[in-house]
Amino acid sequence: MKAAIQIQLLSQAEKLCQQRHARMTPQRLEVLRLMIKQNNAISAYELLDLLRKSEPQAKPPTIYRALDFLMEQGFIHRVESTNSFMLCHDFTDPSHTSAFFICDRCGHVTEKTAENIRNILQKMAAKASFTMSYNVVETHGVCPQCR
Ligand SMILES: [Zn+2]
Ligand SMILES: [Zn+2]
């Protein structure tokens, strides 16, 4: 990702937090900056190592609190099957449902909006009298670069 786009994403996140009266601390912003720079899914421990370059005192709870905040704001997503986190492709809609396509060779993760999948699952849940809180759609395979 180009530097100008990285800066633009950061200021967009800051602006959205102001509008929502959510507290974007310098530390949370730094974690988001690291994730934007990464441009792929990353584990919490890899992020902690990166954060320690600027904040040597940072501990695992520091990272997890920052990640929780960024997930709540819809800036990042958790990729459950690889236990990692990635930047969202659309900051402006914090409640969208995503499908993740995970390359098993290079680890690259692509996000696609998947409202239609959510609708299907919701119908299935309703038929089973099941109350759905959230769902995960993750697909493993090989990306175009690795094929
Ligand atoms: Zn997203
Ligand atoms: Zn790949």
Side-chain angles (χ1 to χ4, degrees), residues 79-82 100-104 137-143:
V79 184
E80 309 267 349
S81 62
T82 56
F100 297 108
F101 295 89
I102 303 152
C103 177
D104 288 325
V137 184
E138 296 181 3
T139 305
H140 285 257
V142 182
C143 80

Side-chain angles (χ1 to χ4, degrees), residues 34 43-54 63:
L34 291 170
S43 76
Y45 278 87
E46 285 172 320
L47 263 176
L48 183 60
D49 281 344
L50 293 174
L51 183 65
R52 277 183 174 152
K53 286 179 188 157
S54 62
I63 274 292

Side-chain angles (χ1 to χ4, degrees), residues 74 76-77 87-91 93 96-98 100 111 113:
I76 64 167
H77 295 291
L87 197 69
C88 175
H89 74 318
D90 180 10
F91 278 11
D93 176 13
H96 63 263
T97 297
S98 304
F100 297 108
E111 178 188 8
T113 308

Side-chain angles (χ1 to χ4, degrees), residues 2 6 9 32-33 36 44 104 108-109 118 132 136 146:
K2 287 204 182 88
Q6 294 181 19
L9 280 174
L32 185 61
R33 193 187 68 82
I36 289 173
D104 288 325
H108 195 267
V109 184
R118 185 176 169 83
M132 191 165 102
V136 178
C146 292

